[in-house]
């Protein structure tokens, strides 16, 4: 017996998904899915990059929305499974052909379809006995006082039986409140797909479905397909208007209408027109919109295609007469590419077999919100789409309030079941209440707790904001003479002991609830999403473990978060309730419109920083910002967050370097620190294989001292005024490679070349003779790029090369007295024509895990990447070198002159000219290009360099392949190449200034 059953089962193909369900054992999941498309009532909380509303710096390597500043989008947990949520955070668009924005179609008035407008969060519903939070995925922007249309559409299986009904449940209501609604409010629309109560076979195939009995291959019939519902209502062929064959030529406008509301014996008063027919048009009893439909009624087939059969027809729909196939390929006026035909009948994908026992259809119906009290927010209640197996079951719910899970009179339904029928807005119908908190079975058939919010969220009020710092004198680091605070060592930490923030006008209407709940009291399990507020203090520490956030004060109990680590502190709504007077807040006791959002940091539990070991921030104006998120802010990038900029304590600009190096601790890889006193080497940890090939201008460990280099240091050809190493030109011809080291900071034999070992990093660039030619390495200015940049941080982990021009003695901290013992320096009087920066790079990656010394040595080409500049920013302009602002020069020591990276190869003097520098070396082609940094968005330019043809690259005594790079920054660049441009809020793509030089491996 079991064997016989197994044989029969093997003959039945996989069933399509019923309403609300995916059919995961079919390859064409999205196309054959039974999940309805709810049009504008779809969740739209995917990140801006995922949604396409923000273009990342590199579309081929987009940043994750979770890491994009200043939003850090955390998609709702309930919508995180992909598939079906694709992209994660968005409800699936299961009907992209028929559920669309109608703009540009023949009927642009059929609105309510297309991209979702809903967002996740909560709202407080004041009621007798408290003010509970209603958690929902349906926060909806106001329609401006008009009734808001919604288009719901999808595929129906089984399409030959039962009742498909669209029901409305009042906000916060019970089954009694549901029944108290007028009949056509509680049942928005319904279609009787087969015979009903008035027939003898309620729940069987039939009614508006024609079997074709006794010939199922007749048309219409089970194998050949069915007429559109509108055709049955009018008796006319859709499109041509010709009469249908008898007996279908007789109009039947009530076809598919349920008896409830039309039959006086159905137990409720008759309603004029009855309950509207789901998919019905103006030709239907009860009316409708002419863009609604119930059509494409076809069997389960292996070929729905429009592939030509060679005889003037198509191979698809093999059992349908050729003269009847047109209606299954025609599109309605409101559809994607409406002027073209479908390439698959009914927009169905080919299925595994022909099995006409399974019947499919497509439906589309437009309804409107039933009430609106503009301009106040509106708590609209919930809508459900239910496919009942029998009309009698439909009436049990719609008339008697007997639900499918009723212990005595319950019944089965085709569509997905709710976990909580007594309250459609229950969070159990969004996510299962037990681990792993998967999406609830009924999620896709219910639009629960729809909350129309008129708040455009463009302003809030900052009632109080500020912070203070505690410092230890001389816990600083000097860079180009200027002292910067560092996070410091234990006992001498740079500390924020006080911080306060109070915001009002943030709990009006809807709000975000948050992530990382401790219990289900703060946010229901599985419903967590973005926090409403975060404080960005990443300028002081960005790596994991770099921020020591307060842990004991309940008034500042946020979670250190961020990528790569501790850039920000996130706060749930219940962590912002210290001043409410009716806390603690929970899902049972939510914030009220008059409440404020409050943070308070106290000295008993201060914020300190450990510093960043690998990617520190370097700033000349370190700022703290708070950002508030609300559900409707997610609609457009420009409205995504509201910023609260903390004022500068004392009104001064903070000079800060977040390195973990400090005067006491040798931790990390960036910093200007020596092993001992004056003239001692740099700490050995500050020289790394990465820094051998890359300069981020975060310290000056690899920097050459120009005063000694230009005076013949390490130059065996030096004659007292010129030499093959310093130049100018190559006065003694290419007499041989000169052995210079890449690492000079901790190199005992290169003390005379080392900027660090010569103590130049501590000196006044304006007055000290030994640094009179040196450019300034400095921190970056304050940055707060818009979310439309799609970048992961407000500024990269880099410094900048400047023409020194700023007075640091006024308006800056650390300052003397109090912060540092020596005073800061004033560079505003510098008036030289140019200043310079010099160092060597290892083209052979000799200390890397994959060295290429043998591959590079003896070659004449290499590639270099310049960060912060486009090619045009340093392109040769006569008389040169470089542009009017900057030149970048390169040199093979002893073998070439100083060559101009901005000048075309083969132009200018010879690369071995005895008198002149400035030969062109830039090879024009596909490897010399502008681009942008994928993570931070700043300008990048790559140059293929040719040092030949006369010479090749060589290996020095340290096993390196050195190339000298000399940056010349001209006086005209002082306020141009400074990364200021349009100010902190300007796009990073508009920032101009040299923030890095990187050697690229050969392609």
């Amino acid at each position: 017996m079991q064997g016989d059953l197994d044989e029969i089962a093997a003959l039945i193909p996989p069933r399509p998904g019923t309403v609300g369900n995916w059919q995961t054992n079919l390859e064409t999941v999205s196309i054959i899915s039974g999940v309805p498309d709810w049009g504008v009532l779809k969740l739209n909380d995917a990140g801006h990059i995922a949604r396409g509303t923000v273009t990342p710096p590199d579309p081929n390597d987009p940043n994750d929305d979770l890491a994009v500043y200043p939003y850090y989008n955390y998609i709702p947990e309930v919508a995180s499974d992909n598939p079906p949520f694709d992209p994660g955070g968005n409800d699936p668009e299961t009907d992209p052909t028929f559920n669309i924005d109608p703009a540009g179609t023949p009927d642009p008035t059929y609105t309510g379809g297309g991209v979702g407008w809903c967002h996740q969060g909560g709202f407080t519903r004041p009621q007798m006995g408290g003010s509970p939070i209603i958690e929902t995925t349906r926060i909806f922007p106001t329609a401006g006082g008009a009734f808001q249309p919604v288009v719901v559409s999808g595929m129906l299986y089984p399409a030959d039986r039962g009742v498909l009904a669209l029901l409305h449940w009042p906000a916060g209501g019970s089954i009694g409140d549901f029944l108290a609604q007028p009949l056509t409010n509680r049942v928005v629309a319904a279609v009787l797909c087969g015979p009903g109560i008035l027939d003898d076979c309620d729940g069987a195939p039939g009614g508006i479905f024609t079997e074709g009995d006794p010939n199922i291959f007749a048309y219409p019939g089970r194998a050949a397909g069915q007429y559109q519902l509108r055709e049955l209502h009018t008796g006319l062929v859709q499109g041509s208007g010709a009469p249908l064959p008898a007996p279908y030529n007789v109009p039947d406008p009530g076809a598919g209408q349920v008896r409830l509301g039309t039959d006086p014996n159905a137990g409720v008063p008759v309603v004029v027109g009855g309950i509207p027919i789901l998919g019905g048009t103006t030709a239907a009893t009860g009316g409708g919109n002419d863009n609604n439909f119930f059509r494409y009624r076809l069997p389960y087939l292996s070929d729905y295609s429009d592939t030509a059969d060679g005889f003037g027809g198509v191979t698809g729909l093999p059992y349908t007469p050729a003269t009847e196939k047109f209606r299954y390929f025609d599109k309605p006026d409101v559809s994607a590419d409406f002027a073209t035909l479908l390439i698959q009948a009914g927009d169905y994908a080919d299925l595994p077999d022909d099995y006409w026992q399974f019947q499919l259809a497509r439906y589309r119906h437009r309804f409107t919100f039933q009430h609106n009290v503009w301009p106040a927010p509106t708590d609209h209640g919930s809508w459900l789409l239910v496919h009942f197996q029998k009309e009698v079951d439909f009436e049990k719910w719609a008339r008697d309030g007997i639900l499918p899970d009723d212990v005595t009179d319950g019944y089965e339904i085709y569509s997905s079941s709710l976990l909580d029928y007594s309250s459609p807005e229950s969070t159990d119908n969004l996510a299962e209440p037990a681990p792993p908190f998967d999406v609830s079975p009924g999620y896709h058939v219910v639009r629960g707790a729809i909350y129309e919010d008129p708040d455009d969220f463009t302003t809030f009020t900052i009632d109080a904001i500020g912070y203070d710092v505690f410092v230890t004198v001389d816990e600083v680091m000097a860079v180009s003479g200027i002292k910067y605070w560092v996070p410091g060592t234990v006992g001498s930490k740079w500390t924020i002991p006080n911080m306060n923030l109070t915001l009002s006008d943030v709990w009006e209407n809807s709000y975000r609830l948050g992530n990382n709940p401790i219990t289900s009291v703060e946010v229901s399990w599985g419903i967590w999403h973005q926090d409403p507020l975060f404080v960005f203090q990443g300028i002081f520490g960005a790596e994991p473990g770099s921020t020591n956030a307060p842990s004991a004060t309940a008034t500042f109990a946020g979670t250190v978060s961020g990528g790569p680590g501790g850039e920000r502190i996130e706060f749930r709504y219940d962590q912002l309730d210290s001043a409410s007077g009716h806390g603690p807040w929970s899902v049972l006791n939510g914030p009220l419109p008059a409440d404020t959002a409050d943070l308070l940091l106290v000295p008993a539990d201060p914020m300190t920083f450990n510093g960043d070991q690998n990617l520190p921030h370097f700033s000349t104006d370190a700022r703290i910002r708070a950002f508030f998120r609300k559900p409707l802010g997610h609609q457009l990038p420009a409205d995504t967050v509201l910023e609260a900029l903390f004022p500068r304590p004392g009104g001064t600009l903070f000079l800060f370097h977040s390195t973990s190096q400090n005067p006491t601790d040798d931790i990390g890889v960036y910093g200007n620190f020596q092993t001992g006193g004056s003239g001692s080497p740099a700490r050995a940890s500050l020289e790394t294989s990465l820094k051998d090939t890359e300069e981020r201008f975060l310290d000056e460990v690899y920097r050459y001292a120009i005063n000694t280099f230009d005076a013949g240091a390490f130059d065996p050809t030096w004659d007292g005024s010129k030499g093959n190493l310093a130049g100018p030109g190559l006065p003694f011809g290419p007499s041989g490679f000169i052995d210079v080291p890449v690492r000079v900071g901790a190199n005992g034999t290169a003390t005379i070349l080392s900027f660090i070992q010569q103590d130049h990093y501590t000196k006044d660039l304006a007055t000290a003779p030994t640094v009179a030619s040196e450019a300034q390495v400095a921190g970056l200015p304050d940055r707060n790029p818009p979310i439309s940049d799609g970048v992961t941080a407000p500024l990269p982990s880099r410094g900048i090369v400047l023409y020194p021009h700023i007075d640091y003695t006024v308006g800056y901290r650390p300052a003397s007295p109090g912060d540092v013992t020596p005073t800061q320096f004033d560079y505003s009087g510098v008036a030289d024509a140019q200043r310079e920066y010099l160092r060597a790079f290892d083209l052979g990656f000799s200390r890397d895990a994959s060295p290429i010394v043998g591959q590079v040595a003896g070659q004449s080409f290499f590639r270099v990447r310049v960060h912060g500049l486009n090619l045009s920013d340093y392109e040769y302009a006569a008389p040169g070198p470089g542009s009017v602002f900057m030149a970048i020069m390169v040199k093979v020591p002893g073998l070439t002159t100083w060559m101009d990276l901005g000048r075309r190869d083969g132009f200018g003097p010879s690369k071995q000219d005895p008198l002149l520098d400035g030969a062109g070396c830039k090879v024009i082609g596909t490897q010399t290009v502008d681009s942008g940094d994928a993570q931070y968005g700043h300008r990048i330019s790559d140059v293929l360099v040719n040092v030949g043809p006369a010479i090749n690259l060589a290996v020095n005594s340290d096993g390196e392949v050195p190339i000298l790079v000399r940056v010349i920054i001209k006086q005209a660049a002082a306020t141009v190449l400074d990364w200021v441009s349009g100010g902190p809020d300007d796009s990073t793509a508009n920032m101009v200034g040299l923030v890095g030089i990187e050697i690229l491996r050969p392609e």
Side-chain angles (χ1 to χ4, degrees):
M1 180 67 176
Q2 183 60 48
D4 293 337
L5 292 175
D6 290 343
E7 279 189 35
I8 294 172
L11 297 175
I12 300 175
R15 294 177 185 271
T18 56
V19 173
N21 287 310
W22 294 93
Q23 180 47 275
T24 56
N25 58 346
L26 290 175
E27 293 181 1
T28 51
V29 174
S30 62
I31 299 177
I32 207 66
S33 159
V35 171
D37 190 319
W38 286 89
V40 295
L41 287 187
K42 293 191 293 290
L43 183 67
N44 193 13
D45 268 350
H48 287 297
I49 290 177
R51 282 170 23 186
T53 50
V54 165
T55 301
D58 184 353
N60 296 318
D61 184 20
N63 294 315
D64 190 323
D65 281 293
L66 182 62
V68 170
Y69 176 92
Y71 193 41
Y72 306 106
N73 185 62
Y74 183 95
I75 63 174
E77 188 71 19
V78 71
S80 61
D81 292 336
N82 184 355
F85 299 93
D86 183 15
N90 277 14
D91 281 340
E93 295 184 3
T94 54
D95 194 6
T97 302
F98 303 117
N99 199 308
I100 65 167
D101 182 337
T105 71
D107 188 355
T109 67
Y110 192 67
T111 53
V115 174
W117 290 2
C118 291
H119 306 282
Q120 183 165 351
F123 60 93
T124 304
R125 181 186 285 159
Q127 60 188 41
M128 187 177 297
S131 54
I133 293 174
I134 307 304
E135 300 167 277
T136 179
T137 54
R138 307 297 156 200
I139 294 169
F140 189 88
T142 187
F147 284 90
Q148 174 59 50
V150 177
V151 173
V152 60
S153 64
M155 186 214 71
L156 180 68
Y157 163 79
D160 56 352
R161 63 198 76 187
V163 174
L164 180 65
L166 179 64
L167 309 172
H168 176 258
W169 196 286
S174 64
I175 188 62
D177 297 312
F178 169 79
L179 294 175
Q181 301 176 104
L183 178 63
T184 54
N185 282 13
R186 72 184 104 134
V187 184
V188 178
V191 60
L192 181 62
C193 303
I197 294 173
L198 296 179
D199 298 288
D200 294 331
C201 46
D202 185 12
I208 61 173
F209 178 85
T210 302
E211 286 282 359
D213 186 43
N215 179 13
I216 63 170
F217 295 100
Y219 189 85
R222 179 165 289 278
Q226 309 286 317
Y227 289 122
Q228 296 180 28
L229 183 58
R230 180 183 175 90
E231 291 178 306
L232 299 182
H233 289 162
T234 62
L236 303 174
V237 175
Q238 180 70 31
S240 72
L244 291 172
Y248 305 103
N249 60 331
V250 178
D252 183 6
Q257 189 169 42
V258 295
R259 71 165 191 147
L260 204 61
T262 59
D263 182 351
N265 298 316
V268 297
V270 171
V271 177
V272 175
I275 293 172
I277 300 170
L278 194 149
T281 67
T282 54
T285 301
N289 189 294
D290 283 341
N291 294 289
N292 293 344
F293 63 70
F294 190 76
R295 62 188 292 185
Y296 303 119
R297 297 193 293 157
L298 288 166
Y300 185 109
L301 296 171
S302 61
D303 188 359
Y304 294 101
S305 75
D306 65 351
T307 304
D309 60 7
F311 301 99
V314 298
T315 61
L317 311 185
Y319 310 108
T320 305
T323 56
E324 306 293 348
K325 290 185 180 183
F326 69 92
R327 63 174 45 85
Y328 305 107
F329 291 97
D330 281 349
K331 291 180 182 175
D333 283 345
V334 179
S335 56
D337 299 321
F338 63 88
T340 65
L341 298 175
L342 293 169
I343 60 174
Q344 292 284 119
D347 210 29
Y348 302 125
D350 295 340
L351 296 167
D353 205 346
D354 292 348
Y355 193 75
W356 46 79
Q357 291 305 311
F358 294 165
Q359 293 290 318
L360 312 178
R362 287 199 178 275
Y363 59 89
R364 182 169 74 181
H365 191 87
R366 186 176 188 250
F367 66 98
T368 60
F369 288 171
Q370 294 176 323
H371 58 283
N372 194 300
V373 287
W374 167 263
T378 306
D379 196 351
H380 282 289
S382 306
W383 276 267
L384 304 95
L385 190 65
V386 182
H387 190 187
F388 296 89
Q389 292 190 4
K390 297 180 179 182
E391 188 177 21
V392 66
D393 297 332
F394 160 72
E395 293 190 357
K396 284 183 179 180
W397 183 322
R399 181 191 59 214
D400 306 326
I402 299 173
L403 301 173
D405 62 348
D406 187 271
V407 175
T408 304
D409 295 317
Y411 44 89
E412 297 291 327
I413 57 177
Y414 289 123
S415 53
S416 300
S417 299
L418 303 187
L419 291 185
D420 186 350
Y421 280 99
S422 66
S423 176
E425 66 185 35
S426 166
T427 58
D428 288 351
N429 293 325
L430 294 175
E432 294 182 341
F437 310 111
D438 288 333
V439 63
S440 185
Y443 176 93
H444 297 290
V445 297
V446 63
R447 302 288 94 160
I450 295 172
Y451 186 79
E452 188 173 353
D453 188 345
D455 186 1
D456 60 3
F457 189 54
T458 56
T459 60
F460 61 4
T461 302
I462 302 174
D463 299 321
I465 187 170
Y467 75 101
D468 295 320
V469 297
F470 172 82
V471 303
T472 300
V473 176
D474 291 334
E475 196 74 10
V476 296
M477 178 179 78
V479 183
S480 291
I482 305 304
K483 290 83 178 175
Y484 294 78
W485 275 319
V486 291
T489 189
V490 175
S492 303
K493 288 284 188 184
W494 192 91
T495 302
I496 298 177
N498 299 288
M499 181 182 290
N500 70 297
L501 176 66
T502 298
L503 305 175
S504 56
D505 303 321
V506 294
W507 304 120
E508 295 176 337
N509 308 333
S510 65
Y511 44 84
R512 296 286 196 189
L513 297 173
N515 190 16
N516 295 315
I518 300 171
T519 71
S520 60
V521 171
E522 300 91 16
V523 185
S524 294
W525 295 125
I527 311 301
W528 49 86
H529 52 279
Q530 279 190 308
D531 294 306
L533 183 139
F534 69 92
V535 174
F536 186 90
Q537 80 309 319
I539 198 68
F540 302 119
E543 293 178 2
S546 63
T547 299
N548 300 309
S551 57
T553 54
T555 56
F556 205 96
T559 302
V560 176
S561 186
E567 294 178 330
R568 65 191 191 275
I569 303 175
E570 295 270 359
F571 297 86
R572 290 190 312 270
Y573 78 98
D574 62 292
Q575 296 169 326
L576 302 171
D577 68 351
S578 62
S580 72
H582 67 97
W585 291 343
S586 70
V587 293
L588 301 177
N589 177 37
L592 298 175
D595 286 329
T596 56
D598 296 275
L599 292 179
L600 181 63
L601 173 64
V602 296
D605 196 7
M607 187 188 306
T608 59
F609 303 89
N610 295 325
D612 300 319
Q613 296 187 33
N614 298 301
L615 293 171
H617 284 312
F618 187 18
S619 176
T620 54
D621 186 11
R623 305 296 301 269
I624 293 178
R625 289 175 166 85
F627 294 93
F628 203 90
R629 311 177 179 106
K630 289 193 81 173
L632 295 188
H634 194 73
Q635 296 176 86
L636 298 172
D639 301 331
T640 295
V641 288
L642 288 182
E643 173 197 355
L645 176 62
F646 281 77
R648 302 178 180 99
T652 58
L653 281 68
F654 280 10
L655 303 166
F656 199 93
H657 196 304
S658 70
T659 178
S660 53
Q661 290 274 343
N662 59 64
T664 303
D665 302 317
D666 182 4
I667 304 172
V669 298
Y670 291 102
N672 283 349
F673 291 103
Q674 296 166 272
T675 57
S678 176
S680 61
R683 293 170 177 172
S685 61
L686 299 174
E687 293 182 331
T688 70
S689 60
L690 177 65
K691 294 172 75 175
D692 289 349
T693 61
E694 179 183 52
E695 180 57 61
R696 289 176 169 263
F697 302 113
L698 291 168
D699 60 25
E700 295 166 301
V701 172
Y702 280 72
R703 188 172 184 177
Y704 276 31
I706 289 176
N707 70 310
T708 56
F709 180 88
D710 282 352
F714 267 69
D715 188 350
T717 68
W718 185 255
D719 68 356
S721 63
K722 60 185 180 301
N724 278 2
L725 186 60
L730 204 63
F732 304 107
S735 57
F737 173 73
I738 296 177
D739 191 344
V740 296
V742 171
R743 294 185 172 187
V744 294
N747 189 335
T749 65
T751 301
I752 195 170
L753 276 182
S754 172
F755 196 84
I756 286 283
Q757 296 190 65
Q758 294 294 311
D759 301 328
H760 287 353
Y761 71 101
T762 66
K763 297 175 182 176
D764 183 349
L765 299 185
T767 63
T770 55
V771 291
S773 299
E774 301 284 359
Q776 182 185 359
V777 171
L780 294 173
D782 177 39
R783 294 287 301 129
N784 182 42
I787 190 175
S788 56
D789 272 14
V791 300
T792 62
L795 72 172
S797 177
R798 298 181 179 276
I800 189 170
V801 177
L802 294 177
Y803 181 94
H805 65 284
I806 297 172
D807 181 2
Y808 294 94
T809 65
V810 178
Y812 286 87
R813 290 185 67 186
S816 179
D819 301 329
V820 289
T821 302
T823 186
Q824 298 278 25
F825 298 132
D826 178 3
Y827 294 161
S828 63
V830 174
D832 304 297
Q834 63 188 44
R835 289 296 185 103
E836 301 180 9
Y837 174 96
L838 176 64
R839 68 156 285 181
F841 293 86
D842 180 10
L843 301 179
F845 292 78
S846 61
R847 297 178 183 88
D848 191 83
S850 301
I852 55 172
V853 174
Q855 179 182 345
V856 172
Q859 300 299 312
S860 57
F861 294 92
F862 70 92
R863 297 168 62 222
V864 63
R865 172 165 291 173
V866 178
H867 289 262
L869 300 174
N870 285 336
L871 292 166
S872 60
D873 296 321
Y874 53 95
E875 186 173 23
Y876 173 80
S883 71
V884 296
F885 300 117
M886 172 177 283
I888 302 175
M889 316 294 285
V890 297
K891 183 184 187 81
V892 181
L895 298 179
T896 70
T897 63
W898 286 106
M899 299 172 289
D900 190 340
L901 199 66
R903 196 171 193 178
R904 188 167 183 168
D905 187 40
F907 284 65
S910 166
K911 295 169 185 174
Q912 282 75 41
D913 192 289
L915 301 175
L916 300 175
D917 294 320
C921 61
K922 177 177 65 174
V923 178
I924 303 300
T926 59
Q927 296 187 64
T928 297
V929 293
D930 286 330
S931 62
D933 185 88
Q935 185 173 2
Y936 298 108
H938 59 261
R939 301 179 179 195
I940 282 177
S941 51
D942 293 348
V943 179
L944 178 64
V945 179
N946 180 18
V947 302
I951 65 94
N952 295 316
L953 302 169
V955 182
N956 67 9
S957 58
D958 291 330
E960 305 160 335
V961 181
I963 189 75
L964 292 169
V965 177
R966 190 174 199 133
V967 176
I968 301 172
I969 186 163
K970 304 175 185 181
Q971 189 178 26
T975 57
V976 177
L977 305 186
D978 58 359
W979 262 54
V980 172
S981 193
D985 299 331
D986 197 2
S987 170
T988 302
N990 295 331
M991 299 299 106
V992 189
L994 180 62
V995 298
I997 299 174
E998 177 186 358
I999 303 302
L1000 301 177
R1001 287 176 173 269
E1003 288 188 340

